[in-house]
Amino acid sequence: MTSSTAMLQGGPTRNGVYPEGTAPQDFRPWRFRAGRNRSLQSPTVCDGTVYVCSKDGVCYSLAALTGTVLWSTATGERMAFDPPVVSDGVVCVTDDLGRVYALGAEDGQERWRHGRDGLVHLVADKGVVYGVDSAWLYNRGANPATLFALNLASGELLWRTDVFDRAMTHPALADGRIFHTSEFGDLTAYDAATGDRLWRVTCDSRWVDMANSPCVGDGVVYAAVQSTLFAHAAEDGEVLWSRAYEGLIRSSVSVLGDTVYFSTQPHSRRDRPASYAVDAATGEIRWQLANRDGASAIALSGSSGWVVSGRGINYLNAVDLATGTRRWKRYLGPMGGTAPVLWNGIAFLSTHTDRLNAIDARTGQMPSRLRSRRPGTPAMT
């Protein structure tokens, strides 16, 4: 994935970090409406273009600065709730049946498709797209889940490895290794070139939330299991430290420098959910920002962080990363929104209806109703 690509959780390492930037002076916040009953996924931004898919099977390409629709492609199947993966001029998306579609980034034309068993989670880098399917969720263990690698240009299967546990979370990719967390919290590292298993650390857990993808930063893999955050050495999986916090960690963590950031959701009436900043070497709390109804993953850029909070995750907050002070708070609507994706000083996020919003990340300026963009019925390629 190129440095100019921004996606959910930052990129292949899932560390939640985005390059610093300031929105151009002529940028005006905008809103794209896909149409009634077309719920949108989290977007991905690459080279000034936003890619986003609707649940009913349409992938859209929009100009990042204006929201102008460049193309739209219908796959013919309901889409999985995974953001598009964009690399080397190819957009990869997945549907509910486990198929991977590769579309041309410039024109939306289908280049190839690859079928799997069950929902697929993807990550891409250097001409290869890696995926893990959740076959066990559908065939009751008759076939194991698999980790696989495809040539991004042709769709050729390069290798496939049986995972033998339920593949719930998105894989992370760093330093030639793929890291994956199972439904029960087991963390496994694989060689990205061959698919060989390098190490595995088991965890005595009943479940792991699907949003708890591992996060890699400075040779350490951070993985959340219920209320506990674990730090593992990427080289061999050794547990460097673990610590429990109030509430459930139901989103991926982010790491920037010597600090790890994450949010919790209430698990019981006694919990006091919050967004946390903790020492990356020890897990000691540096600050916490109370979020009465919980919050989602934190997106990081420079000295600021952005997090969606509220019972319906319907508020976007900007936070000072040094102190945890809230800089501003904006209402996203009653249906809430996804964790923000940052590009060039603009925060992109989808609501859980049919809207994609482009917001000034520095000021929090939102699109007005008058600037709402609705393409009508786009021509399908």
Side-chain angles (χ1 to χ4, degrees):
M1 188 137 336
T2 65
S3 60
S4 58
T5 301
M7 63 179 292
L8 186 66
Q9 299 167 4
T13 63
R14 310 287 182 188
N15 65 3
V17 178
Y18 300 85
E20 291 188 75
T22 302
Q25 288 188 345
D26 59 349
F27 167 74
R28 297 293 182 270
W30 53 263
R31 177 181 294 120
F32 164 73
R33 294 190 64 186
R36 183 174 297 179
N37 299 323
R38 286 186 169 178
S39 181
L40 295 174
Q41 306 168 343
S42 177
T44 296
V45 190
C46 181
D47 295 333
T49 303
V50 185
Y51 303 92
V52 65
C53 292
S54 63
K55 187 62 176 175
D56 68 338
V58 181
C59 184
Y60 298 93
S61 168
L62 304 97
L65 295 181
T66 65
T68 302
V69 178
L70 304 177
W71 55 256
S72 60
T73 297
T75 64
E77 298 292 344
R78 287 176 58 84
M79 305 302 290
F81 266 115
D82 267 29
V85 170
V86 186
S87 183
D88 299 316
V90 179
V91 181
C92 289
V93 298
T94 62
D95 65 22
D96 278 350
L97 300 178
R99 284 190 286 254
V100 181
Y101 300 83
L103 311 176
E106 292 293 330
D107 56 15
Q109 295 293 326
E110 183 176 321
R111 294 187 176 182
W112 52 262
R113 67 175 65 181
H114 180 82
R116 307 300 306 168
D117 294 323
L119 296 177
V120 177
H121 301 309
L122 302 175
V123 64
D125 191 37
K126 298 178 180 178
V128 180
V129 58
Y130 306 91
V132 59
D133 66 48
S134 51
W136 261 25
L137 297 179
Y138 299 90
N139 58 39
R140 299 181 181 273
N143 296 306
T146 58
L147 178 69
F148 60 93
L150 305 173
N151 182 291
L152 193 59
S154 65
E156 175 191 0
L157 180 66
L158 302 178
W159 53 255
R160 182 180 63 194
T161 299
D162 291 339
V163 175
F164 290 110
D165 56 21
R166 296 187 179 185
M168 299 292 289
T169 66
H170 291 81
L173 176 65
D175 300 323
R177 297 185 177 197
I178 301 170
F179 303 93
H180 169 254
T181 305
S182 76
E183 178 191 22
F184 303 111
D186 299 340
L187 179 66
T188 309
Y190 300 88
D191 188 313
T194 63
D196 293 337
R197 192 171 78 177
L198 302 175
W199 53 259
R200 180 183 181 91
V201 178
T202 58
C203 180
D204 184 18
S205 173
R206 294 183 179 179
W207 61 267
V208 170
D209 193 272
M210 289 183 66
N212 288 141
S213 300
C215 158
V216 188
D218 197 23
V220 179
V221 185
Y222 301 93
V225 179
Q226 299 190 25
S227 299
T228 303
L229 180 62
F230 293 86
H232 301 264
E235 181 66 26
D236 57 12
E238 177 189 359
V239 178
L240 305 177
W241 57 263
S242 64
R243 179 164 177 153
Y245 302 88
E246 284 196 70
L248 297 174
I249 306 174
R250 300 195 66 178
S251 61
S252 291
V253 302
S254 300
V255 57
L256 180 61
D258 62 356
T259 308
V260 178
Y261 303 87
F262 59 93
S263 296
T264 59
Q265 300 281 347
H267 180 53
S268 69
R269 292 183 178 180
R270 296 189 299 273
D271 289 336
R272 292 176 292 180
S275 294
Y276 289 87
V278 305
D279 189 297
T282 65
E284 293 293 327
I285 298 174
R286 292 182 168 172
W287 56 254
Q288 61 187 92
L289 174 64
N291 287 302
R292 186 182 67 179
D293 297 311
S296 70
I298 302 178
L300 312 174
S301 182
S303 62
S304 300
W306 290 262
V307 59
V308 179
S309 68
R311 186 180 299 276
I313 55 176
N314 46 11
Y315 292 95
L316 177 64
N317 307 265
V319 179
D320 185 308
L321 293 182
T323 64
T325 303
R326 184 185 285 111
R327 290 177 170 169
W328 49 255
K329 182 178 181 180
R330 301 290 185 268
Y331 181 60
L332 298 174
M335 299 301 290
T338 61
V341 171
L342 304 171
W343 176 85
N344 203 32
I346 305 170
F348 298 89
L349 56 86
S350 299
T351 65
H352 293 303
T353 50
D354 63 348
R355 294 168 175 82
L356 172 67
N357 296 281
I359 301 166
D360 190 307
R362 181 179 63 85
T363 66
Q365 182 182 358
M366 303 279 289
S368 67
R369 291 185 179 180
L370 293 178
R371 290 194 56 80
S372 199
R373 296 179 181 270
R374 185 172 182 174
T377 304
M380 303 302 179
T381 60

